[in-house]
Amino acid sequence: MQKTYMAKPADVKPAWWLVDADGKTLGRMAREIAVRLMGKHRPGYTPHVDTGDFVIVINCEKVALSGNKWQKKEYRWVTGYTGQRSETAEARRERRPELIIHDAVRRMLPKNKLARQMLKKLKIYSGEKHPHQAQQPEVLEV
């Protein structure tokens, strides 16, 4: 009888992936990044173990949204004071473009402690440069 394989944290060897967000659609790119962070692309995927890889995203300010979502899409958050804060996607791109990709990927991960651990392996940068050349990331075509 064959037993079900359960990965152990010591068995997992994470890889590094490089994604260029220039001209890529936000949702399609975020889905692929979330799959890599969770480790669902591996045959040894185990839901209760972090089997995912590291993902580096460059050119985050050049990500694409379809239609008129730059003006219509709103991000809302609670500050602790009365009322909510909100801003459009266009304003967020000007202020902190990394948050657009970060929030899209975060909302595609499971809602638990393991997801917070997975999200720490997502590195997002504006522009072409990143400090992770020593890890020799492979280019991931989305």
Side-chain angles (χ1 to χ4, degrees), residues 54-83:
F54 287 84
V55 179
I56 304 163
V57 181
I58 58 173
N59 292 324
C60 66
E61 72 281 356
K62 297 179 184 175
V63 72
L65 289 176
S66 60
N68 58 356
K69 289 181 191 161
W70 285 117
Q71 291 80 28
K72 296 270 183 166
K73 185 174 177 67
E74 278 195 349
Y75 292 95
R76 298 173 185 268
W77 66 96
V78 179
T79 62
Y81 290 99
T82 305

Side-chain angles (χ1 to χ4, degrees), residues 9-54:
D11 298 342
V12 179
K13 302 284 188 265
W16 285 75
W17 298 97
L18 179 68
V19 177
D20 189 2
D22 190 6
K24 303 287 191 307
T25 306
L26 177 64
R28 294 169 191 266
M29 182 182 64
R31 184 206 144 273
E32 188 61 36
I33 292 171
V35 165
R36 298 288 169 160
L37 290 175
M38 286 187 279
K40 283 194 163 187
H41 64 289
R42 295 175 180 236
Y45 169 70
T46 306
H48 63 276
V49 177
D50 186 8
T51 58
D53 296 336
F54 287 84

